[in-house]
Amino acid sequence: MGATVDWLRTTTPGLLVLCGLAIAVLLFAIIKVKLEPFIALLLTGLGLALAAGLPVSKIVGTAIKPGDSLLETGFGGILGHIAVIIGLGTVLGAILERSGGADVLTGKLLGIFGVKGAPVAMGLLGLIFGIPVFFDIGIFVLAPLIYVAAKRGGRSLVLYTMPMLAGLSMTHAFLPPHPGPVALGGLLGVSLGWLIIMGFVCGIPGFIAAGLVWGTYIGKRVQVEVPAEFLIRPDQPVGAKREGPGTATDPGSTRTETRAPSVVLIGGIIAIPLVLILGATFGTQWLAKDSQLLQVLTFLGTPAVALLIAVLVAFYLLGVRRGSSVQELSTLTAESLKPVGMLLLVVGAGAFFGKVISATGIGTALADTMSAAGLPVIVLAYIISCGLRIAQGSATVAIVTTGGIVAPLVAGHGYSQMAIALIAMAIAAGSIILSHVNDGGFWIISKYFNLTVKQTLQTWTVLETVLSVVSFAVAAVLFAIVG
């Protein structure tokens, strides 16, 4: 028995078996036992640490000094990096939605592309509006607009839905301030500026292939009508002032708009954090380290500061200046932040799990095995992320778990920020592949767009797979050039 334990804790094959067992237990707890991912990750991480023979003082610290423990540094390190960013991003999305920004963007895009180009307009709507809002919130906000566009166009609801979903999924998986990319920035030590750049570079081809090419193809072959009860006000033009989804957390509440904000204003507010973050990234490359301008750009381009500026601008231009009181804005902020708590706990627990993996030496064992097999780190990252996604359904869990496993393989190997960002894109791409019945998003889409399970598999599941494969292919090619 003792020899077996030593083999598991000290040899490369043993550590790999230990890691595999831990992941299997994690998936069993989430899939079969239906345990919350937060609890499952925490229990599995503690169990793996004990099984690997790590000292208790290292796992949980001591009664006097717990701060240096894997438990606290695992949670605290990543949450210190992402909590503010996710919180501010959520608030920004809520004020943009409440102001009628989605309606305005829809009306403008449909005016540009016309009835025949409506699917492209819906894709761009998802792409633009998906930057500041979470995936499921984007569906709640944009679904009524899709219904009306499909009814007016007289074609299958699928033709309009798939491009929009591709835009929302692409931004959610690849771009900050969404939880997955932000978490990867902290886990892999890569700037959000590079993640934004590579997110667009890798994600846009996937969006075109999945949303526009596949969406158009399947939208002509799967016919789905828009039920009358789906239309809130079928006689109302898209983009008009309307009563509709109220808040990000309560899509069924009502909102009465007295005047619509301009599309330039909405686009400008969405662009503020992206421009500031990219300014800091490029400033680091082009300016001297002691430059005063670089200091200003670095401060303004810090993601938390950039998002705070965007939120304050949105509060004033879309709130106070349009008649909202500070109390109403505070209520909106509180409502929008309610769903964030569990999300942060899952990310923190995933980071702890990854910290344990690193501390046990499993990361080094994986690196040795990978080197012996000649498997590039970006391919390994994608395969692990795909496996976790398919098995347990949550993209966030797949990202943070894979990030924790891959982080030791990246650290100390001299990869450039661009190369690390491409590895992060591979993980993000793997986390969205083959959405099926164990994914909550699968059922949201089935419900909101009048699809049967078979139709959801034919449309949405394939769309996610195309988006994943194409985006990874772009990342892999670029990594082969720069890595």
Side-chain angles (χ1 to χ4, degrees):
M1 182 67 178
T4 302
V5 172
D6 289 340
W7 178 80
L8 285 171
R9 293 177 175 178
T10 60
T11 67
T12 297
L15 287 170
L16 291 174
V17 168
L18 203 57
C19 180
L21 289 173
I23 293 175
V25 170
L26 171 65
L27 297 178
F28 178 80
I30 295 174
I31 297 170
K32 295 295 184 182
V33 183
K34 307 298 182 185
L35 205 58
E36 278 289 341
F38 158 61
I39 301 295
L41 282 163
L42 184 58
L43 283 173
T44 307
L46 290 171
L48 175 60
L50 292 171
L54 296 178
V56 171
S57 60
K58 187 172 184 178
I59 301 170
V60 296
T62 65
I64 299 174
K65 190 179 180 182
D68 295 332
S69 67
L70 290 173
L71 184 60
E72 292 206 8
T73 58
F75 267 86
I78 190 64
L79 293 183
H81 178 73
I82 72 167
V84 176
I85 299 172
I86 291 176
L88 289 170
T90 302
V91 174
L92 178 60
I95 186 64
L96 287 171
E97 181 271 316
R98 173 68 69 89
S99 70
D103 304 50
V104 171
L105 285 173
T106 304
K108 184 66 175 179
L109 290 170
L110 287 176
I112 294 172
F113 290 94
V115 176
K116 290 186 178 180
V120 177
M122 295 299 100
L124 292 177
L125 178 66
L127 198 65
I128 296 169
F129 203 71
I131 292 173
V133 303
F134 289 162
F135 176 77
D136 52 351
I137 294 172
I139 291 176
F140 300 151
V141 173
L142 299 179
L145 309 177
I146 298 293
Y147 304 154
V148 177
K151 193 69 175 179
R152 290 175 60 190
R155 303 167 78 180
S156 173
L157 182 58
V158 173
L159 184 65
Y160 301 85
T161 299
M162 291 300 113
M164 182 272 289
L165 292 176
L168 288 176
S169 182
M170 177 271 185
T171 53
H172 183 77
F174 295 101
L175 295 178
H178 291 283
V182 172
L184 285 173
L187 291 167
L188 301 182
V190 59
S191 75
L192 293 192
W194 274 111
L195 289 175
I196 291 172
I197 296 170
M198 291 300 104
F200 278 116
V201 169
C202 299
I204 291 297
F207 160 74
I208 293 172
L212 303 185
V213 178
W214 169 254
T216 300
Y217 173 83
I218 197 65
K220 294 177 180 178
R221 288 160 176 80
V222 177
Q223 296 299 317
V224 177
E225 298 294 327
V226 184
E229 62 270 20
F230 277 27
L231 295 168
I232 298 175
R233 290 179 55 181
D235 59 327
Q236 188 176 47
V238 176
K241 301 168 192 174
R242 68 185 181 89
E243 293 181 357
T247 68
T249 55
D250 184 10
S253 65
T254 59
R255 171 188 71 223
T256 303
E257 291 294 343
T258 58
R259 49 204 166 105
S262 71
V263 68
V264 174
L265 177 59
I266 296 298
I269 291 174
I270 291 174
I272 286 174
L274 300 180
V275 171
L276 291 175
I277 292 171
L278 290 175
T281 299
F282 287 120
T284 303
Q285 302 293 321
W286 296 339
L287 299 175
K289 291 184 178 180
D290 57 353
S291 167
Q292 189 67 32
L293 177 58
L294 178 59
Q295 299 302 311
V296 173
L297 290 174
T298 300
F299 178 77
L300 296 178
T302 300
V305 176
L307 279 165
L308 179 60
I309 292 171
V311 167
L312 293 177
V313 171
F315 272 178
Y316 176 71
L317 295 179
L318 300 178
V320 174
R321 203 177 71 169
R322 302 178 74 232
S324 296
S325 67
V326 174
Q327 183 178 357
E328 288 172 337
L329 293 173
S330 297
T331 301
L332 173 63
T333 300
E335 289 176 351
S336 67
L337 290 174
K338 285 178 181 177
V340 173
M342 182 54 73
L343 176 66
L344 291 176
L345 287 173
V346 170
V347 172
F352 164 65
F353 183 69
K355 198 87 170 177
V356 170
I357 288 176
S358 178
T360 58
I362 292 173
T364 303
L366 279 173
D368 294 340
T369 301
M370 180 188 65
S371 299
L375 191 64
V377 65
I378 194 168
V379 176
L380 180 69
Y382 181 67
I383 291 172
I384 294 173
S385 184
C386 286
L388 288 169
R389 159 67 168 190
I390 293 169
Q392 52 79 40
S394 169
T396 302
V397 171
I399 284 176
V400 295
T401 305
T402 307
I405 293 172
V406 171
L409 312 183
V410 174
H413 284 71
Y415 291 119
S416 65
Q417 284 283 289
M418 180 179 177
I420 299 175
L422 289 169
I423 294 171
M425 292 304 102
I427 295 173
S431 75
I432 57 174
I433 197 170
L434 207 66
S435 169
H436 59 97
V437 294
N438 65 353
D439 176 16
F442 179 95
W443 298 106
I444 291 174
I445 290 160
S446 176
K447 171 187 174 184
Y448 267 76
F449 299 107
N450 197 32
L451 299 169
T452 65
V453 171
K454 180 181 178 181
Q455 289 172 332
T456 311
L457 289 168
Q458 289 175 323
T459 57
W460 164 248
T461 300
V462 177
L463 180 146
E464 283 284 80
T465 302
V466 172
L467 178 59
S468 170
V469 172
V470 172
S471 298
F472 168 68
V474 175
V477 170
L478 290 176
F479 185 82
I481 296 172
V482 306

